[in-house]
Structures are given as C-alpha cells and as structure tokens.
Amino acid sequence: MFETKIRKVGNSAVVTLSSEVLAAMDVKEGDSVYLARSDDGGMRLMAHNPELAAAMQAAEDVMDENREMLQALA
C-alpha cells in the first residue's frame, strides 16, 4: 500500500504519485490514468481504460470475422 497526500494547486486538488507508484503501475509522466468507482464504494486508479480495451477487442473481433469483405472495400 502506498500513501500520498492531497494538495491544493490553484483551484484544483492534486495527488502526487511517487516514482515507486508509477513503476508499479507501469506508467510515466504524461500518461493518462483512469479513476473508477469500485463495487465497494472505493475508487480504483488504473493505468488502462477497461472500457476502451473492451471496445478495441470487439472491433478486432468484427474485423477478424469480416476480413475478406473489408479487404474488398479497401
């Protein structure tokens, strides 16, 4: 478990992530992270958007199923 503080910067509240947290999440400065409410009412900070990953997988499935038609259209 990692601990961090919430600070005020201008009109915003910010959370600073240590280099250890960034390494554990496999992200770097400038990357996007996603915050989602968990089933227990808490929050989860994720390195990847699960909704986008699911949409991309669905698109790949459609492309695989219709490869010949898509090649003909190209």
Side-chain angles (χ1 to χ4, degrees):
M1 179 180 300
F2 300 97
E3 182 179 356
T4 187
K5 301 270 185 197
I6 300 172
R7 299 181 295 117
K8 183 170 179 65
V9 175
N11 290 330
S12 300
V14 298
V15 175
T16 302
L17 302 177
S18 69
S19 58
E20 295 163 332
V21 172
L22 296 177
M25 293 182 68
D26 193 27
V27 295
K28 62 185 180 311
E29 185 178 333
D31 288 350
S32 293
V33 293
Y34 302 89
L35 190 62
R37 187 173 303 279
S38 61
D39 294 336
D40 63 1
M43 300 298 284
R44 292 180 52 208
L45 182 64
M46 299 170 288
H48 304 286
N49 183 341
E51 293 173 4
L52 177 60
M56 293 301 290
Q57 184 60 52
E60 284 185 32
D61 292 344
V62 168
M63 287 186 284
D64 287 344
E65 293 170 5
N66 301 295
R67 183 173 305 280
E68 291 178 13
M69 178 185 66
L70 291 171
Q71 286 176 343
L73 291 172

